[in-house]
Amino acid sequence: MNANKSDRTSPIHSGEQFLDRAFEHLQIETHMRHLLRACYREVRFELPLKRDDGSMALFTGYRVQHDQSLGPFKGGLRFHPDVDMNHFVALARLMTWKCALLGLPFGGAKGGVDCDPEALSAREMENLTKRLVSRLDMIIGPNRDIPAPDMGTGPQEMAWIVDAYAHRFGYAPGVVTGKPLALGGSNGRLEATGRGVAQVAELAAAAHGLDIEEASVAIQGFGNVGSNAARFLHERGAKVVAVSDVGGGRHHADGLPLERLFKAQGHSSRPVSSPDVDLSGDEISNDDLLELEVDILIPAAIGHVITSDNVERVKAGLIVEAANMPIDCQADAVLADRGVPVVPDLLANAGGVTVSFLEWVQNQSRYQWSAEKVNRELKDRLDQAWQEASKRAEKEDISLRLAAYAIAVERVIEAIHLRGI
């Protein structure tokens, strides 16, 4: 993404539009609107890296800390070539509202590095990750800012951060979440976002008179989130008829052979589009998947895949946002006018940060919970957030997205007033 991009399709614009709708609905005063938009800290820095072949490369790192009224900052680290400060500002704000909606004692943050992890060796990734910590170690920590995995990062990168941070401040596993179990990670964290997507999709389906066991589902994006959402929906009896990854996808009206696909994931980084994977059905593009006539559509890849350019061709009966901001503000309004319910990202993909919170709690006490306890706590929190948002939407005759934003904004404002400025 171009760092100077400021057109009407940028993530930061959509985030502001969704927030503005909440401000207008709640009649928030102008000075408070400015305060809620403003970021506490935006950091940009350069990361030199000596490559394995002896050459030097220079990457740019970012960390945006939006708001800490409810608690320390919390948010992922994204390693991807198309990142910039504006995008991280939008995602940090989104994390603030997500944590507030779920009742988590965190504020929003986001950051990362403009690199392609697939082009770096394991040694180069380790050195780059630890160099990142050297730039951020004074502003992160278990009670300051707790990073987590995001696109291009995972448990191994979090382990390297724990090690780098420990060299200066001593062993503090709570400095990050999403760690390996052996270093204080939590059972259920890796699949938490996908599990939460499936749970919320089932709740939304029931609310709109759709039996999940009879529902057809299409999922764009078959990484960690999309594949786990498919797995848990399949276990609930749903018929997953289409999935895709960066290289394309497959569609079968009678349902895809997911067991074969899950098995293939262990052998291919792009199992859906790999020619080595024996899947029934027809090849399908990512764009065409979005336009399938299905009961539930789950965009689980990148942002802004449903826009004013294609929204009229979207035929799904229900959309569940597993990715962050996959629907832009113009398309969201069109879907609302057509009566297509959308479960917003604030709620739909909040399983990851919820179990990150549970991991942080476990790190505070140095006591690891069972998978059963973690999953039970996750279910309870998502159920509660769903009930609060859906009841607010029904009572005030507003969309679920607006209800979620309104709840979140009110909670942050209350914390600001209680703490004082």
Side-chain angles (χ1 to χ4, degrees):
M1 179 182 296
N2 188 328
N4 296 318
K5 186 175 182 179
S6 60
D7 60 48
R8 295 181 62 81
T9 63
S10 69
I12 195 167
H13 176 78
S14 285
E16 288 179 346
Q17 289 291 302
F18 293 142
L19 191 58
D20 279 337
R21 293 174 188 173
F23 288 163
E24 291 298 322
H25 181 71
L26 297 172
Q27 299 183 338
I28 303 299
E29 296 177 347
T30 301
H31 71 275
M32 183 58 71
R33 297 187 188 197
H34 291 318
L35 182 61
L36 291 170
R37 283 196 182 93
C39 291
Y40 178 84
R41 180 182 284 126
E42 299 175 24
V43 182
R44 180 183 182 277
F45 46 90
E46 305 307 319
L47 295 171
L49 175 69
K50 187 174 182 179
R51 304 295 301 270
D52 290 342
D53 62 5
S55 64
M56 291 294 296
L58 189 65
F59 300 96
T60 303
Y62 306 88
R63 190 64 177 173
V64 175
Q65 297 172 330
H66 173 237
D67 185 275
Q68 59 179 345
S69 301
L70 290 170
F73 301 106
K74 185 84 187 74
L77 285 174
R78 178 170 296 190
F79 282 23
H80 193 275
D82 296 326
V83 297
D84 61 64
M85 188 66 82
N86 283 347
H87 198 95
F88 285 135
V89 166
L91 294 176
R93 287 173 178 167
L94 186 68
M95 183 60 80
T96 294
W97 316 129
K98 192 178 300 183
C99 290
L101 176 65
L102 269 294
L104 307 179
F106 295 133
K110 206 76 170 184
V113 181
D114 66 344
C115 69
D116 180 2
E118 293 187 6
L120 299 175
S121 69
R123 187 199 69 84
E124 290 169 337
M125 277 291 288
E126 179 178 357
N127 288 343
L128 186 64
T129 303
K130 291 184 175 180
R131 182 65 59 88
L132 172 72
V133 177
S134 72
R135 297 291 194 271
L136 294 177
D137 62 7
M138 292 304 295
I139 63 170
I140 64 173
N143 295 303
R144 292 181 177 176
D145 183 349
I146 306 110
D150 200 282
M151 189 181 299
T153 61
Q156 179 59 75
E157 286 73 25
M158 299 305 105
W160 288 330
I161 293 174
V162 169
D163 179 67
Y165 190 82
H167 282 296
R168 182 162 183 181
F169 299 102
Y171 183 61
V175 66
V176 291
T177 57
K179 303 177 294 295
L181 286 173
L183 290 180
S186 174
N187 285 298
R189 174 60 184 88
L190 192 61
E191 65 270 23
T193 306
R195 183 187 292 275
V197 169
Q199 178 183 334
V200 173
E202 183 176 20
L203 291 168
H208 292 90
L210 176 63
D211 185 349
I212 197 68
E213 293 187 3
E214 299 177 356
S216 58
V217 181
I219 302 176
Q220 187 199 55
F222 210 69
N224 176 49
V225 177
S227 63
N228 277 301
R231 185 190 305 275
F232 293 120
L233 283 168
H234 179 64
E235 290 177 359
R236 286 167 164 82
K239 182 171 61 176
V240 180
V241 300
V243 297
S244 66
D245 62 18
V246 68
R250 287 278 180 169
H251 170 235
H252 196 300
D254 294 328
L256 292 168
L258 290 183
E259 290 83 1
R260 197 183 307 163
L261 190 54
F262 295 143
K263 183 178 179 181
Q265 275 195 299
H267 306 287
S268 171
S269 60
R270 294 174 181 174
V272 177
S273 54
S274 171
D276 299 327
V277 181
D278 180 21
L279 286 179
S280 57
D282 302 317
E283 292 185 4
I284 189 172
S285 71
N286 275 284
D287 291 339
D288 289 341
L289 181 146
L290 296 171
E291 299 170 12
L292 290 173
E293 191 168 349
V294 293
D295 295 315
I296 303 174
L297 172 63
I298 301 178
I302 58 175
H304 280 196
V305 295
I306 300 177
T307 69
S308 55
D309 294 332
N310 66 351
V311 66
E312 296 293 352
R313 299 190 296 276
V314 173
K315 306 180 192 71
L318 168 68
I319 302 176
V320 180
E321 293 187 326
N324 286 321
M325 289 185 281
I327 303 175
D328 74 13
C329 49
Q330 290 90 356
D332 187 68
V334 172
L335 292 168
D337 289 340
R338 285 169 46 192
V340 179
V342 175
V343 182
D345 45 11
L346 260 66
L347 178 58
N349 67 24
V353 70
T354 300
V355 177
S356 276
F357 162 66
L358 300 177
E359 179 178 332
W360 180 76
V361 170
Q362 293 168 73
N363 292 158
Q364 299 288 84
S365 62
R366 296 293 202 274
Y367 184 81
Q368 201 168 58
W369 298 354
S370 68
E372 291 76 15
K373 180 174 182 178
V374 171
N375 293 335
R376 185 170 61 250
E377 290 282 344
L378 170 62
K379 183 181 185 304
D380 289 347
R381 283 186 173 270
L382 287 177
D383 282 349
Q384 180 178 346
W386 165 263
Q387 292 298 329
E388 290 172 342
S390 57
K391 286 180 180 178
R392 179 79 174 255
E394 182 179 2
K395 179 181 178 181
E396 300 180 14
D397 192 23
I398 56 178
S399 70
L400 192 63
R401 188 190 305 279
L402 182 53
Y405 268 91
I407 292 169
V409 168
E410 286 177 339
R411 288 175 177 172
V412 173
I413 290 176
E414 181 184 12
I416 290 172
H417 286 316
L418 288 171
R419 295 177 64 142
I421 300 175

